[in-house]
Each structure stands twice: as structure tokens, then as C-alpha cells.
Amino acid sequence: MLGASLYISWCSAKNRVLVRLRRLREPRYLIGAVAGVAYFYFAIFARGQRAGRGPGRGQDRGIDFGPAFQSGGMSLAGLFALCFALVPWVLPARSKLLEFSEAEREFLFPAPVSRRQLLAHRIVRSQVGSIIASVFIGLFAAPIAGVARLRLAFAFWILAVTINVYGAAVSLTRARFQSPNANVRRSAWLPIGILAGAVAVVATSIGRQLLRQPPASAADLFVQLARVTSTGLTRVVLWPFIAIVSPPFGGSAAFIPAFASALLVLSAVIAWMLLNDSMFDEVAGQSQSAQADVDQTPASGTTTRSTRIGWTLPLTGRAELALFWKGVMETVRAVNIKSWRIVPPLIGLSVGLVGASFGIAGAQRMRGPSAFITAFGCLAAGVATLFGPQMMRLDLRSDFAHLDLLKSWPMRAADVIRGEMAWPVAAVSGVACFAILTAALFSGAGLPQVRFVDRWAVAIAVVIAAPAMIAAQFTVHNAATVLFPAWVQLGTQRTRGIDAMGQRLVMLAAVLVSLLLFAVPGAIGAGVIWLIFHRLVGAVVLIPMALVFAAIVLTEVLAVTELLGPAYEKIDVTSVERPE
Amino acid sequence: MAIDVEHFTRSYGSFTAVDDLSLRVTAGEIVGLIGPNGAGKTTTLRALAGILRPTSGRIAIDGHDLATNAIQAKRRLAFMPDEPHLFEYLTVEEHLRLTARLYTVADFDARAKALIDELELAGKERSLPGELSRGMRQKVVIACGLVRDASVLLFDEPLTGLDPIGIRKMRSTIVARGRAGAAILVSSHLLHLVEEICTRVVIMDRGRKVADGTVAELASKAEAAAGSNLEQIFLRVTGRE
């Protein structure tokens, strides 16, 4: 089976590269590849050459964290790893390692191979992604050079594989709780008991230390945590967690023993995962049912149930509104158990926004909850306007999987594009407007020094202008989708390859330049309004300025979507790269 | 002429999938499109549905050129592909309603109910695609195609995934639509089905049309023995006897 796994991985990788090389015969993809190669050159090799001319040339320059970090810092990293290990137990997520492709299910599930071998196969197949990611980390790591890059790549690889396998092992163990057999259910408590014991030991030690000597500052808290986790039983309990995170931080001499320790931990995690192979059918079956568009048969009770939304599509009206309705249905129904996937990034975003809000409120000498809400609202509106169109992909980008169907509909191409964009534009605009209006409502207490009229003039202007800018960004993203169909990411699939990386760079530059081009005429129009009226009406002039700006930008959006029509008609559906 | 294909050619890079195909289907005709794998049948159907653009040649549906008057042409046709791609978060009833809205179907409720009963989808109206079997999803695709009054019906392997009762019903559905005046093009490897329901058969091989006519005409042209069935004619015409 190992040979078969390696064969599948090798042939798939080789043929994927060949497909991408063939794609370079088209100039647009060639441009992406050139951009990707240029980025590689300037980001890695040219930088390496510059570093080579400096002091320490040709040396194996690794990261030197010093002896203090090697003791206390590593323990803290181990503590962090222990907390991270709790996450899949508390927030269960589907393990990618246990998601078999349709081809794997059809070829391998009926094959005379054991479930354990299938699990091992998934570990082997996941190596291509892990190795490529590790090589990139090694290449792009800025402060290091020489063999240290290789060491970092190995360290990242073992960390990535351990996290993947651990997640799969947790999923398989959790599945034991669904078993009708009491013994099977009981055995699931063993790893939970071990982890709970480790948490209890560490928490008790930390609690005692902090009660004995309350931390005087944040820095003191870290010092105390480092002290308590690097001694005694706590250190022993944390050893596996320290072992897995330690390889990147050692010098050349410490690397081999650190890597060997990490390898030992990985072996134990793999063994734990393989010992749970009896739960394979439960978990792989769930993953199968989750991939709704490739399902063969339903697994009762495991699929998403339809919920009544209370909005029936009228049978007459503009076709774009039908696509708007479809977007609403998909969004509302997608917010179910799958939403767990967005919990971690949402938490990260919220933490970032809250932190930044405190920062802004502090810098502006604003005090109280109103000040915080004002700052938070402004930031949330900014983030929604600038990054919302990149994050919410419920437009032509996600519907490319249904391109056959879309192209057979009796709709003008421009109407399809606008219809696909309508709901995400409305949703992101709604978030931005809600955030800015909330900020405006609380701004009286948060910013008492600014006049009421001025505050609301700004808020209303943003409410008018933000949807236009959001629509402009969606237009740019959908234009890229129509013009470069092979670069489109279908669903959660992420296109890979040097041309795809170049494409992302080209896209980033294109989005910025296009937004600038979209905004300039609107800004000129708004500027004219300002010159004429600002002396007469003060800050209120912002409202007509925003109206002119929005009108010009939305006219541009209409014009660009019309111009995209012929390109949409010419899209070759065979050029869309589909996942296995 | 309901379907009028003139010198249609479709290439993928240096590979020509369909080469200089000319084909006509009149109202009320049920034409079977058969051929070995890779003959260009699906490419032809996808081009007729407006999904693929011809490299050269002209395709017209009910007199509307697909290149210059695509919307009017598409409004008159229904394409039922062999692979049922449905929207993950729309129910069966919502798929039908969306189709009805896009194609402006007047008496939707009555039509939808009749189709749901006809295709044995009753009780599944509120199911999402993920809750349906392959055959059920195929029936939803067919229901979406039949919910409007299309004058041209294109079926690509319509019986894939259906159970014996579904196959029987589908067969009678296709025949009934043909009798009602629709021009129907059916691509299938089930030669007995094609022989049974089609008024005419087109055989394609390596991207080219190699035969066109009724089963009797094909048998005569192929100099097949008297009483030969479509399978024997097909093997003879394509040189695989």
C-alpha cells in the first residue's frame, strides 16, 4: 500500500506540474509565472546574495535565541502547545487528513487494503503539501541562511505533520463516543484522561506560583510562567509538547537531538491514530457526507438539513435578483456546523480589532465604553470595506463550480456577473454600514470635542461611499475570475504553482491599481463639490461629495461589468482547474 | 428547424473533438446521438447548450443563432447533463423555482407538482442535494429541464443512476415530450433505448458524423444483414465489428 500511495502522490504531482507548464502557452498565465519567478528571485535569491556579501558570509547562520530562551522560553512554548492540543477536543473540526477525495474513495475503499493502511495512505499523501509548505518556510525565513534554512524546513515539517495527525487522531477518538459498545466508549477516555492529567499538573503548579507571588506586571507574569514550567513534574509533563516545538530553536548541535525527540512524539501520535482505525468508517463517512457535491449516498442525520428561510423567490422579476436570492439562501444555510471553521479566524479578527480599538482609544485620550465602541465600529467598518470582498467569495468565484449551468441559462453575461455580486456586495456593505452607524451613535460620548453635525456628516458620507467601494472591489475580483479562469479557487481548493503564486501577486497589485482607477474619477468629482460648497456648509459637504463619488464609482462598476460580458461568453469551461 | 448545426467544429488546443458536424433535428423528432467514448457526443451537446463556443461553424436553436442571439436560443432549450451539478444549499423545490424564474414559467406550481410526482420526487421537495442519492439528483436535474416549455431538449445519458422504474418513466417522458412537439437529441450508450425511442439515429466516431438516418436506413447503408439491431449496425459502421 505504501508503494501505491507514493505512486499516486508522485504521478499526481508530476501531472499537475505538466498541466501548469502547458497552461503557460497562454500569455496571461505566462505573465503570472514571470511575476512568480521574479518574486522568488527578489525575495530569496537576490536577498541571499546581498546577505552573502555582508559579514559572516557563507556561514550557517541560524536563529540564536540565547540560553535563557532555551530554558524558560521553550517551556512557555510547550505550555502554548499544550493549550493548542486542547482546541480540537473543545472545538471539534473535521480533520483534513480524513477527507478522502472522490477518486480515493472509489479506488481505495473497495480495494483489499485495511483501514489502517488507508490512514497511513492519507499521511503519505498529505506529505506533498507539508513538504512544499516547509520548503517555502525555509526559503522565506528572513534572518537565517545556509543549512539553518534546511533545519527550519525540517522543523516546520515535523510540526505540521504532528498537528495534522493529532487532529485526525482526536477525530477518530471522539468517534468512539458514538459507539454502541461500552468498552469502545470507555477506551476513548484514556487519551482525554492523560491530557486532563497533564493540564491539572501544569495548572496546579502555575496556580500555586501565582498565588504565592502575584505578578507585578505582564513581563513578570511571563517570567513566573517560564520559571514554573521549566522545573519539576511540570517540566516532565510538558516534555512531549516542548519536544515538538523545540527543533526550530536549537543551534546546529542541538538540532539532531531535538529533531529525534520530535520524531519520537510524532511516532507516538501516529501510533495512537492508527490504533483508532476501527473508527475509520464513522469518521471517513462523516467527511464523505460533508462533501455534498461529491456524495454518492446520504448518511442519514449527518448532512446539512434545509432550514426554512421565509423568503420565497417570486417567479417574475429581474434575473439578477434570482441570483441575489440564491446567495442569501446559500449564506444562511452555510451558517451551520461548518461555521466552526470560521471560529478561529473570527476570534483572531475580533482580538485584533479589540486590541486596535483600545490602542486608538488610548492614543486619542478617549475614555469609557462609548469611546471603545466608537473606535471598534470605525475599525470594523474599515476592515469590512477593505478586506470583506477578499474574504466573502460567494460570487462568481465560488459559483465557477457550476459554470456549465450558469452558461446554459438565458441571461446576459453582464447580468450574471452583477447578479452573482449583488448579495455579497449587499452583505459586506451591510456590515460596514452597521459598524459605522454604531460608531456614530456612540461617538457623542466617545468624541465629545467633535460637533454632532460633523460626526454624523462623516458617518453618512461613509454609509454612502463604502458600498460603492465594496462593489468596485467585487468587480475587480470577478473581473479577474472571468479573465483568468484557470486561477480561480473552487470552494476551499487553493490553486498552487508558481504561476498561481505570481497570479496572487498580480491580483494584489491589480486590485490596488484597479481600485485606484475606480476611485480617481469619483474623487475628482467629489473634490469639485468640496471646492464649491465647503465654505458654505462645512463638514456637511461630505454628504454630497459621497453621493457624487458613489454615483461615479457605481457607473464605472456598471460599465466594467458590461465590458466583461464578451470575456465571460468566451470562458472555456475546460480551463477551470477542478479538484481531484 | 428546431436544431440546426452547420459545419460545427470544436478543438481543444491541437485536438479536434468535433470536426465539421452538420446536423438537423425538426420539431417532434427524437434523435439518438451515439458513438464510442471520445466520439464528441458530449462536446456537441455542450456546444448546443451554449456552454462551449464552437471553434468554427454555426448552431441555431429554433432559428436563433447561439453566437449572436444566445439568450433567445437558450430560452428555448433545456440541457440535462449526465453529471448532476446542483447548488449545495438550495432545496429541490428551490432549484425548480430558480429555474422557473430564470426561464419565466407562468404556471409553476402546477407544473412543479406534476413533475415531482412524475419523477417520484414527492417528499423530497425540501431536501438539499447532499441528502439525495445520485439517481435522485439526476431526477432533479431532469425536472429542472422539464419544468419549462422548452422546444428543444438535450439529454446526455439521461438514464445514468436511475432505478428500473425511473428508467421506464424517463423513457415514456422523453417519448411524450417528442409527441408533444419538442425536438429531442438524446446521447446514450444504451443502444436498445435509442433504438426503442428514437425516430432517427446519428452515429459519431472520432469527432465526425459517420451515419445519419432511421435504423432501417442505417442498416441499408451499412449493408447489414436483414433484421440487424442497432448494436450490430453501430459496430459495423464504426469498424469495430
Side-chain angles (χ1 to χ4, degrees):
Chain A
M1 186 61 204
L2 181 66
S5 300
L6 290 171
Y7 179 77
I8 295 169
S9 301
W10 163 247
C11 291
S12 299
K14 181 189 74 178
N15 292 328
R16 186 169 286 173
V17 169
L18 288 175
V19 165
R20 284 177 187 149
L21 286 176
R22 274 200 293 271
R23 204 161 65 193
L24 297 184
R25 284 185 294 206
E26 283 189 58
R28 52 186 170 168
Y29 300 122
L30 186 63
I31 292 167
V34 169
V37 169
Y39 178 69
F40 254 109
Y41 177 78
F42 289 112
I44 302 167
F45 301 111
R47 195 185 61 195
Q49 282 174 359
R50 280 197 301 274
R53 286 195 289 271
R57 178 184 171 185
Q59 287 176 7
D60 170 17
R61 289 188 292 113
I63 313 169
D64 185 11
F65 288 92
F69 181 84
Q70 290 302 330
S71 57
M74 286 313 306
S75 302
L76 274 181
L79 180 64
F80 175 76
L82 171 64
C83 297
F84 188 76
L86 295 172
V87 173
W89 294 102
V90 181
L91 292 175
R94 223 169 269 120
S95 167
K96 279 275 175 198
L97 206 64
L98 299 173
E99 282 185 6
F100 286 79
S101 71
E102 192 180 9
E104 283 174 323
R105 285 202 299 274
E106 288 189 3
F107 278 87
L108 303 180
F109 279 29
V113 291
S114 67
R115 293 327 196 195
R116 193 168 288 183
Q117 285 174 311
L118 284 175
L119 289 174
H121 159 77
R122 284 299 300 157
I123 296 176
V124 172
R125 279 223 72 182
S126 69
Q127 291 316 301
V128 176
S130 299
I131 290 169
I132 291 174
S134 307
V135 167
F136 270 72
I137 295 273
L139 285 172
F140 282 86
I144 63 170
V147 184
R149 284 185 192 275
L150 195 63
R151 285 202 306 268
L152 185 66
F154 270 108
F156 183 81
W157 168 78
I158 201 159
L159 184 64
V161 177
T162 308
I163 290 172
N164 276 342
V165 178
Y166 179 82
V170 171
S171 292
L172 290 165
T173 307
R174 289 179 64 93
R176 285 181 174 270
F177 288 115
Q178 310 299 323
S179 171
N181 187 329
N183 285 334
V184 173
R185 287 199 303 275
R186 269 197 291 275
S187 65
W189 286 105
L190 182 64
I192 295 174
I194 292 172
L195 198 62
V199 171
V201 168
V202 174
T204 308
S205 305
I206 292 172
R208 275 188 191 152
Q209 173 68 26
L210 296 183
L211 285 173
R212 198 164 47 232
Q213 190 184 335
S217 63
D220 184 43
L221 174 69
F222 278 103
V223 169
Q224 289 198 46
L225 282 177
R227 192 182 301 147
V228 77
T229 52
S230 54
T231 53
L233 184 60
T234 313
R235 172 83 181 178
V236 175
V237 165
L238 283 177
W239 179 84
F241 303 96
I242 294 170
I244 204 66
V245 293
S246 61
F249 304 109
S252 53
F255 178 75
I256 301 244
F259 190 77
S261 301
L263 212 53
L264 196 66
V265 174
L266 173 61
S267 306
V269 177
I270 289 175
W272 170 33
M273 175 195 174
L274 296 180
L275 282 171
N276 282 288
D277 62 334
S278 57
M279 290 294 110
F280 175 89
D281 292 321
E282 288 284 324
V283 180
Q286 278 182 17
S287 297
Q288 181 178 346
S289 63
Q291 292 169 326
D293 54 343
V294 292
D295 270 353
Q296 293 300 308
T297 50
S300 177
T302 56
T303 47
T304 313
R305 302 293 303 183
S306 65
T307 46
R308 281 199 186 277
I309 311 294
W311 181 19
T312 305
L313 177 68
L315 290 167
T316 51
R318 292 188 67 86
E320 294 100 307
L321 287 177
L323 294 180
F324 180 92
W325 169 86
K326 180 179 78 66
V328 174
M329 295 294 127
E330 289 176 333
T331 305
V332 173
R333 294 212 172 107
V335 180
N336 54 28
I337 190 68
K338 285 186 178 180
S339 310
W340 282 116
R341 288 183 180 182
I342 63 166
V343 168
L346 215 56
I347 291 172
L349 185 68
S350 304
V351 167
L353 282 176
V354 168
S357 305
F358 274 121
I360 289 174
Q364 298 296 317
R365 298 179 190 283
M366 293 153 65
R367 293 282 179 270
S370 297
F372 171 75
I373 293 171
T374 305
F376 187 86
C378 291
L379 271 172
V383 168
T385 306
L386 294 176
F387 301 110
Q390 176 63 38
M391 292 189 280
M392 190 168 183
R393 300 167 53 84
L394 264 176
D395 49 17
L396 210 50
R397 287 171 284 181
S398 68
D399 260 354
F400 244 46
H402 300 289
L403 192 58
D404 277 14
L405 187 59
L406 296 186
K407 291 201 80 176
S408 69
W409 282 346
M411 284 179 74
R412 292 177 63 245
D415 292 345
V416 174
I417 297 167
R418 283 196 288 264
E420 288 281 351
M421 283 167 39
W423 163 241
V425 168
V428 176
S429 300
V431 171
C433 292
F434 177 75
I436 202 69
L437 288 175
T438 307
L441 276 174
F442 285 87
S443 62
L447 293 164
Q449 69 276 26
V450 183
R451 288 193 312 149
F452 173 85
V453 173
D454 294 353
R455 280 186 275 112
W456 277 94
V458 171
I460 293 170
V462 171
V463 166
I464 295 167
M469 279 313 287
I470 289 165
Q473 286 186 72
F474 273 106
T475 306
V476 174
H477 286 294
N478 282 276
T481 303
V482 169
L483 298 172
F484 299 92
W487 284 342
V488 179
Q489 298 168 31
L490 292 178
T492 55
Q493 175 211 19
R494 193 165 170 80
T495 45
R496 302 187 187 96
I498 198 157
D499 58 327
M501 196 183 78
Q503 168 253 326
R504 282 192 271 278
L505 292 168
V506 171
M507 264 295 294
L508 184 66
V511 167
L512 294 174
V513 171
S514 309
L515 274 179
L516 204 65
L517 291 174
F518 262 111
V520 165
I524 291 171
V528 171
I529 298 293
W530 183 81
L531 281 174
I532 298 170
F533 295 110
H534 85 281
R535 287 182 193 282
L536 298 173
V537 292
V540 178
V541 76
L542 288 171
I543 297 171
M545 280 173 72
L547 280 170
V548 169
F549 176 83
I552 293 174
V553 172
L554 289 175
T555 307
E556 290 173 310
V557 167
L558 281 175
V560 170
T561 46
E562 283 295 329
L563 290 173
L564 284 172
Y568 173 86
E569 297 286 4
K570 284 182 191 160
I571 294 174
D572 185 351
V573 287
T574 56
S575 66
V576 180
E577 195 174 320
R578 297 186 185 272
E580 186 180 86
Chain B
M1 198 61 60
I3 301 175
D4 193 357
V5 180
E6 289 176 13
H7 305 292
F8 163 57
T9 297
R10 170 70 203 199
S11 303
Y12 298 101
S14 58
F15 171 70
T16 303
V18 180
D19 188 9
D20 196 29
L21 174 74
S22 292
L23 173 72
R24 286 180 171 195
V25 183
T26 54
E29 254 194 317
I30 303 176
V31 176
L33 188 62
I34 63 173
N37 291 331
K41 304 183 297 294
T42 297
T43 298
T44 302
L45 287 179
R46 280 154 66 90
L48 282 170
I51 297 166
L52 293 174
R53 287 166 75 90
T55 307
S56 65
R58 176 180 173 275
I59 297 172
I61 304 292
D62 268 351
H64 298 284
D65 193 312
L66 255 177
T68 56
N69 200 1
I71 293 176
Q72 287 307 319
K74 286 176 182 177
R75 200 168 279 287
R76 284 161 174 77
L77 64 83
F79 173 50
M80 281 135 287
D82 59 339
E83 196 58 45
H85 283 297
L86 298 169
F87 293 104
E88 196 180 350
Y89 293 111
L90 293 190
T91 64
V92 171
E93 194 267 341
E94 286 168 350
H95 272 95
L96 289 172
R97 185 167 278 276
L98 176 65
T99 309
R101 161 78 174 243
L102 294 170
Y103 288 85
T104 325
V105 177
D107 50 345
F108 168 74
D109 290 327
R111 277 172 175 273
K113 181 162 185 347
L115 264 174
I116 281 169
D117 290 340
E118 183 183 345
L119 295 172
E120 297 187 316
L121 287 166
K124 301 285 181 188
E125 294 91 333
R126 291 199 58 237
S127 299
L128 292 171
E131 299 169 305
L132 301 175
S133 68
R134 167 74 166 76
M136 282 287 188
R137 282 185 287 152
Q138 182 71 16
K139 285 180 180 178
V140 176
V141 168
I142 291 167
C144 287
L146 299 181
V147 76
R148 66 238 195 206
D149 246 342
S151 55
V152 172
L153 299 175
L154 309 172
F155 289 94
D156 193 2
E157 295 292 350
L159 306 185
T160 307
L162 300 186
D163 58 25
I165 301 161
I167 288 173
R168 192 172 167 177
K169 287 212 168 193
M170 185 47 54
R171 223 165 32 196
S172 55
T173 296
I174 294 172
V175 171
R177 303 278 161 165
R179 284 191 185 139
I184 300 175
L185 190 57
V186 183
S187 165
S188 179
H189 288 300
L190 302 174
L191 300 185
H192 61 89
L193 165 87
V194 173
E195 188 169 5
E196 189 186 325
I197 67 169
C198 294
T199 51
R200 189 155 62 88
V201 177
V202 172
I203 302 177
M204 290 183 73
D205 192 15
R206 297 184 185 92
R208 300 187 72 93
K209 184 171 82 174
V210 292
D212 185 350
T214 62
V215 175
E217 287 169 352
L218 293 181
S220 164
K221 280 180 200 164
E223 296 173 350
S228 296
N229 62 21
L230 186 57
E231 185 179 333
Q232 290 161 325
I233 297 166
F234 171 76
L235 293 172
R236 195 173 178 87
V237 167
T238 55
R240 288 166 172 84
E241 202 172 29

